[in-house]
Amino acid sequence: QVQLVESGGGLVQTGGSLRLSCAASGRTFSNYAMGWFRQAPGKEREFVVGISWSGDSTYYAESVKGRFTISRDNAKSTVYLQMSSLKPEDTAVYYCAAKRVRGIPLEYDYWGQGTQVTVSS
């Protein structure tokens, strides 16, 4: 089992920035690909970005490319999501996810509880 705990969400104005963190515990963090997903009210959960176990590869959804940056610190068992130039349509609950696999999957096995991000216009 992998336990994931997100933090860093909050209320920000359009154009602002936030950094989300996801702390992992329970297994060797460096064996897991990590991802961020989000779910807006009334919408399905959508993939935002993924990062490989080593951090060498990343994959972004088109909607966030150039504005969001994922990174990981395997020594701290933490993955980060730096969000800039935020838009109201980025408002959602953001979830961290993990899967023990090489590469960057679109489906994950372990999930955090989510953190709310609200972008005001």
Side-chain angles (χ1 to χ4, degrees):
Q1 284 282 356
V2 175
Q3 291 79 43
L4 303 171
V5 179
E6 302 97 334
S7 61
L11 175 64
V12 64
Q13 291 186 334
T14 296
S17 299
L18 277 176
R19 188 177 82 155
L20 306 183
S21 299
C22 173
S25 61
R27 288 292 185 267
T28 303
F29 181 70
S30 58
N31 288 339
Y32 289 79
M34 301 297 295
W36 286 96
F37 288 72
R38 66 186 181 186
Q39 186 167 21
K43 295 187 176 181
E44 293 189 354
R45 185 171 61 194
E46 64 173 352
F47 173 84
V48 175
V49 60
I51 187 168
S52 62
W53 64 276
S54 65
D56 289 346
S57 298
T58 57
Y59 180 73
Y60 292 87
E62 285 297 323
S63 59
V64 305
K65 197 174 290 185
R67 300 188 298 121
F68 290 12
T69 303
I70 190 172
S71 61
R72 66 188 295 161
D73 185 338
N74 286 346
K76 295 183 178 180
S77 298
T78 301
V79 63
Y80 304 97
L81 182 64
Q82 178 66 49
M83 306 184 294
S84 302
S85 301
L86 283 161
K87 306 174 182 179
E89 51 263 44
D90 294 318
T91 295
V93 177
Y94 283 71
Y95 297 91
C96 172
K99 185 178 179 70
R100 182 170 180 168
V101 68
R102 300 244 171 181
I104 303 172
L106 295 181
E107 296 184 354
Y108 290 74
D109 297 326
Y110 302 99
W111 296 85
Q113 83 289 349
T115 186
Q116 176 71 46
V117 172
T118 302
V119 185
S120 63
S121 57

